[in-house]
């Protein structure tokens, strides 16, 4: 099963310069899982791997192999998860929690490009290239991060060719998403980018809140959202006011209620 290493506790106000904090000694082997709690944990791990690799579900042999290689780290809120100055030796995924991915400037400021919530990949490519991590990342909440050492995984893929194909597909999806995002930044204006950003994050309105329309819960700071959209915070505020005036959205604190989802989609396609 997974080896679990707990990072030192404590909340850092500024992200550390190091990568994932590691213990100086190897973690002891996990005891065999027995009973209903053991079965629940095995099911949880299988669900995580299936979420990362997509459908169809992985075979029990593939799940067992991944579990035998995986190293799990608990990362405190505000601590570094990925560091562009550190060499990448493993595929890195977020099991639980929330991580901000972006770039740390020379003056120590962290600029968020996207927020990742587990389970999701954090860095699927850098280790294959024998390079440093492509981006920095810090934990927005207490997070559980999983590493798959690249060399050990590569040796096992010869015996699991279907899983190798799944990895190729996952990498292809990342390339496709990058191409789409680049296209939108180059060819869509700021209102269209914001509309698309909101549309991608729409959730059904809870029944106890009316049950109609959609809602977007804002987890990021305004400047982080603006950074993702390549606009200034002032432009973001102006666009939100414009969408409100048009009757497309209604904003209350960190909640955006989408009143006219058809109009929002039309703005996103402009």
């Amino acid at each position: 099963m997974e080896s679990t290493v707990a990072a030192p506790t404590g909340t850092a106000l500024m992200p550390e310069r190091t990568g994932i904090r590691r213990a100086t000694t190897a973690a002891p082997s996990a005891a065999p899982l027995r009973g209903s709690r053991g079965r629940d944990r095995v099911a949880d791990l299988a669900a995580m791997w299936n979420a990362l690799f997509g459908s169809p579900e992985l075979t029990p042999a593939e799940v067992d192999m991944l579990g035998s290689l995986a190293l799990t780290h608990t990362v405190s809120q505000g601590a570094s998860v990925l560091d562009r100055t550190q060499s990448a030796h493993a595929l890195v995924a977020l099991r639980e929690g929330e991580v901000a991915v972006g770039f740390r400037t020379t003056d120590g400021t962290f600029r968020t490009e996207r927020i990742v919530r587990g389970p999701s990949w954090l860095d699927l490519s850098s280790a294959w290239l024998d390079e440093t991590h492509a981006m920095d990342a810090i934990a927005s909440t207490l997070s559980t991060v999983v590493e798959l050492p690249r060399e050990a995984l590569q040796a096992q893929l010869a015996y699991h060719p279907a899983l190798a194909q799944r990895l190729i597909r996952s990498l292809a999806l990342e390339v496709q998403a990058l191409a789409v995002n680049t296209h939108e930044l180059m060819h869509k204006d700021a209102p269209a980018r914001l509309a698309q950003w909101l549309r991608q994050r729409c959730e059904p309105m809870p029944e106890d809140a009316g049950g109609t329309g959609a809602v977007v819960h804002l987890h990021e700071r305004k400047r982080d959202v603006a950074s993702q959209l390549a606009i200034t915070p002032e432009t973001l505020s102006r666009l939100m006011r414009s969408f409100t005036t048009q009757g497309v959205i209604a904003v209350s604190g960190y909640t955006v209620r989408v009143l006219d989802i058809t109009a929002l989609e039309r703005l996103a396609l402009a």
Side-chain angles (χ1 to χ4, degrees):
M1 302 302 297
E2 294 175 306
S3 300
T4 304
V5 180
T9 58
T11 300
L13 295 179
M14 289 298 292
E16 301 178 358
R17 294 301 300 172
T18 57
I20 299 172
R21 290 181 250 176
R22 306 174 186 278
T24 55
T25 58
S29 299
L33 298 176
R34 297 185 177 90
S36 60
R37 292 182 63 185
R39 288 193 296 270
D40 289 344
R41 187 183 175 202
V42 171
D44 288 345
L45 292 174
M48 178 195 69
W49 295 124
N50 284 317
L52 292 173
F53 286 94
S55 60
E57 291 188 358
L58 300 176
T59 66
E62 291 169 337
V63 170
D64 288 345
M65 183 274 288
L66 292 170
S68 70
L69 299 181
L71 299 172
T72 300
H73 308 266
T74 300
V75 184
S76 302
Q77 181 183 18
S80 177
V81 179
L82 300 176
D83 190 322
R84 285 185 297 153
T85 67
Q86 300 292 319
S87 297
H89 301 291
L91 285 63
V92 185
L94 177 64
R95 178 176 174 181
E96 294 175 327
E98 183 176 292
V99 168
V101 180
F103 295 94
R104 188 182 292 106
T105 61
T106 54
D107 63 0
T109 302
F110 188 86
R111 299 190 181 279
T112 301
E113 285 204 356
R114 58 190 173 95
I115 298 294
V116 177
R117 298 177 184 86
S120 183
W121 291 109
L122 289 172
D123 189 346
L124 186 58
S125 60
S126 298
W128 297 109
L129 301 173
D130 288 319
E131 296 182 353
T132 59
H133 292 289
M135 305 184 78
D136 297 310
I138 59 174
S140 303
T141 65
L142 181 68
S143 299
T144 304
V145 176
V146 179
E147 291 188 354
L148 287 172
R150 192 261 297 171
E151 290 186 355
L153 177 62
Q154 187 172 358
Q156 287 295 324
L157 290 179
Y159 305 100
H160 299 275
L163 186 60
Q165 293 178 1
R166 301 280 283 275
L167 275 171
I168 292 172
R169 183 177 185 275
S170 297
L171 285 165
L173 287 172
E174 288 203 348
V175 172
Q176 184 184 60
L178 179 61
V180 170
N181 290 339
T182 301
H183 177 271
E184 291 184 353
L185 284 174
M186 293 181 63
H187 299 286
K188 284 190 173 184
D189 59 15
R193 295 201 299 273
L194 174 59
Q196 178 70 14
W197 189 91
L198 290 170
R199 182 66 185 91
Q200 291 173 342
R201 288 157 179 78
C202 282
E203 302 174 10
M205 180 70 68
E207 292 185 4
D208 58 2
T212 59
V215 64
V216 177
H217 298 288
L218 300 177
H219 302 279
E220 302 96 325
R221 296 171 297 181
K222 181 171 70 173
R223 70 180 185 185
D224 291 335
V225 175
S227 178
Q228 294 176 53
L229 298 171
I231 58 178
T232 65
E234 294 75 19
T235 298
L236 174 62
S237 296
R238 177 175 57 79
L239 290 174
M240 295 290 276
R241 288 195 298 269
S242 174
F243 285 11
T244 300
T245 301
Q246 297 176 57
V248 179
I249 62 173
V251 182
S252 177
Y254 289 92
T255 301
V256 178
R257 182 171 179 177
V258 180
L259 306 175
D260 190 339
I261 197 164
T262 301
L264 185 67
E265 292 173 342
R266 187 165 55 249
L267 287 168
L269 294 174

